[in-house]
Amino acid sequence: MPRPRSEKARQAVMSAMRRALAEDSYAAVTIEGLATEAGVSKQTIYRWWPSKAAVLGEALLEGELPGSDAVVPTTDDLAADLRAWFAGVSAGQGDMVGIEVARALIAVTATDPELGLVLNERLAAPIREWVKTRLRQAVADGDVREDVDADVVADHFIATASYAALLGQPLSEQRVDAVVQMVMRGIGARD
Amino acid sequence: MPRPRSEKARQAVMSAMRRALAEDSYAAVTIEGLATEAGVSKQTIYRWWPSKAAVLGEALLEGELPGSDAVVPTTDDLAADLRAWFAGVSAGQGDMVGIEVARALIAVTATDPELGLVLNERLAAPIREWVKTRLRQAVADGDVREDVDADVVADHFIATASYAALLGQPLSEQRVDAVVQMVMRGIGARD
């Protein structure tokens, strides 16, 4: 039987991971560095988490998710709003949620489905909410068909950004434009 | 220094993985079973591959990729063809490329970017080819705008299917319909 976790040590590791992410890239985070920062032994970390990704998963699950509070300006140009927001998501929102963290999230999901599903739901929730709100406005403005399925649109962007992150190939500006254009034509009101 | 691999033993493990996948689910494949089947020790496998996913990655990379030879019927109804093909991809093409294998592929990609990129390119190539060919025909038929970007369309389906696999949530028939409908509106010739 593994020894039960010390809650104090656990929280120290969680904080160390969040601080490390805020100050450095995920790739540069090491178990050794986390251990030093948290004041626990490497063995303690390895006993409780199978990998760095698992530590990240738990830290993200508990704390504020970086990027989830990204403010997206809403103008009266739906295409421009979608482009701005999608480009932001694709670029990985600065230092915090870079390709590296996205990959780690995907690794967590692929290896620990239960944790991954919860993490993805939490990550996707604000995106879905934003798309839903923005599309409701667009329908009211007559820019978008009334029967638009906001979940399909949101999932399209989420899936495209996730796949790009998985491949480690950020979407080019040109590709972002092309994706938004196809979606706009797909959901736009007939003129 | 790790001992150099024996090519004979390596091939035996590769064959064992391919046979195991053909006969059983990926989830049911164990390192122990592979070792027995290949006539090598568990230690030998662990010395050469960090995980079951890594064995799968190498086996897929070398051998015929299951599903890559899936025959998609081409009719004169583009929407129906896209639905049939996408539903096939999403359902995981029978026993061979189920959600489990797709997840494993994603895990390989997230943990071994180089191998993952090569695998994804190989997996995506026939899909891109099919979409490109089918769209060329649709343009000729006047069903689709001439400036359609086949890569954007192909990537949409690939990303959506990958994300569903990642979450372990196969796409419902209803969702497949909604995705195809949005794409069809997005690329369809104005009528």
Side-chain angles (χ1 to χ4, degrees), chain A residues 103 106-107 109-110 113 117 120 145 151-153 155-156 158-159 162-163 166-167 175 178 182 185-186 190-191, chain B residues 103 106-107 109-110 113 117 120 145 151-153 155-156 158-159 162-163 166-167 175 178 182 185-186 190-191:
Chain A
R103 285 189 105 113
I106 291 167
T109 305
L117 202 58
N120 275 280
R145 339 173 37 107
D151 283 332
V152 170
V153 177
D155 275 358
H156 179 158
I158 294 168
S162 298
Y163 190 69
L166 177 66
L167 295 187
R175 177 53 71 95
M182 184 175 80
R185 284 182 183 142
R190 291 261 161 177
D191 50 17
Chain B
R103 286 191 104 113
I106 291 167
T109 304
L117 201 58
N120 274 280
R145 337 171 43 105
D151 283 332
V152 170
V153 177
D155 275 358
H156 179 157
I158 294 168
S162 297
Y163 190 68
L166 177 66
L167 296 187
R175 177 52 73 96
M182 184 174 81
R185 284 182 183 144
R190 290 262 162 176
D191 52 12

Side-chain angles (χ1 to χ4, degrees), chain B residues 26-110:
Chain B
Y26 175 73
V29 177
T30 61
I31 297 288
E32 188 151 14
L34 288 177
T36 307
E37 187 75 9
V40 302
S41 71
K42 268 168 62 175
Q43 285 69 32
T44 296
I45 296 186
Y46 280 123
R47 192 159 55 229
W48 292 337
W49 294 277
S51 64
K52 186 174 78 166
V55 180
L56 173 73
E58 196 165 319
L60 290 180
L61 198 56
E62 289 214 319
E64 286 304 303
L65 286 174
S68 64
D69 57 345
V71 177
V72 185
T74 295
T75 70
D76 58 359
D77 182 344
L78 175 62
D81 287 359
L82 286 176
R83 247 191 318 266
W85 166 79
F86 188 39
V89 171
S90 308
Q93 318 242 9
D95 298 323
M96 294 283 279
V97 187
I99 291 285
E100 283 298 324
V101 175
R103 286 191 104 113
L105 272 174
I106 291 167
V108 171
T109 304

Side-chain angles (χ1 to χ4, degrees), chain A residues 14-191:
Chain A
M14 296 289 97
S15 304
M17 175 55 103
R18 278 192 286 265
R19 272 199 308 279
L21 275 184
E23 288 162 11
D24 213 333
S25 77
Y26 176 73
V29 176
T30 61
I31 296 289
E32 189 151 12
L34 288 177
T36 306
E37 187 76 9
V40 302
S41 71
K42 268 169 61 175
Q43 286 68 34
T44 296
I45 295 186
Y46 281 122
R47 192 160 55 230
W48 292 337
W49 294 278
S51 64
K52 186 173 79 166
V55 180
L56 172 72
E58 196 164 318
L60 290 181
L61 198 55
E62 289 212 321
E64 285 304 303
L65 287 174
S68 64
D69 57 347
V71 176
V72 185
T74 296
T75 70
D76 59 358
D77 183 344
L78 175 62
D81 287 1
L82 286 176
R83 248 190 318 265
W85 166 80
F86 188 39
V89 171
S90 307
Q93 319 242 10
D95 299 321
M96 295 282 281
V97 187
I99 291 285
E100 283 297 324
V101 175
R103 285 189 105 113
L105 273 174
I106 291 167
V108 172
T109 305
T111 51
D112 184 341
E114 211 168 314
L115 174 59
L117 202 58
V118 176
L119 270 175
N120 275 280
E121 285 300 322
R122 273 204 63 192
L123 267 175
I127 299 178
R128 273 185 228 294
E129 207 43 53
W130 184 82
V131 170
K132 214 165 265 184
T133 306
R134 187 61 189 83
L135 287 184
R136 211 177 295 129
Q137 184 194 319
V139 169
D141 293 346
D143 292 336
V144 160
R145 339 173 37 107
E146 285 189 13
D147 62 353
V148 64
D149 187 332
D151 283 332
V152 170
V153 177
D155 275 358
H156 179 158
F157 289 121
I158 294 168
T160 302
S162 298
Y163 190 69
L166 177 66
L167 295 187
Q169 301 175 319
L171 297 168
S172 66
E173 203 180 318
Q174 202 180 358
R175 177 53 71 95
V176 167
D177 285 353
V179 169
V180 169
Q181 191 180 59
M182 184 175 80
V183 170
M184 282 300 296
R185 284 182 183 142
I187 66 178
R190 291 261 161 177
D191 50 17

Side-chain angles (χ1 to χ4, degrees), chain B residues 81-144:
Chain B
D81 287 359
L82 286 176
R83 247 191 318 266
W85 166 79
F86 188 39
V89 171
S90 308
Q93 318 242 9
D95 298 323
M96 294 283 279
V97 187
I99 291 285
E100 283 298 324
V101 175
R103 286 191 104 113
L105 272 174
I106 291 167
V108 171
T109 304
T111 51
D112 183 342
E114 211 169 315
L115 173 60
L117 201 58
V118 177
L119 271 176
N120 274 280
E121 285 301 323
R122 272 204 63 191
L123 268 175
I127 299 179
R128 272 186 228 294
E129 208 42 55
W130 183 82
V131 170
K132 214 165 264 183
T133 306
R134 187 62 189 85
L135 286 184
R136 211 176 295 130
Q137 184 195 318
V139 169
D141 293 346
D143 292 337
V144 161

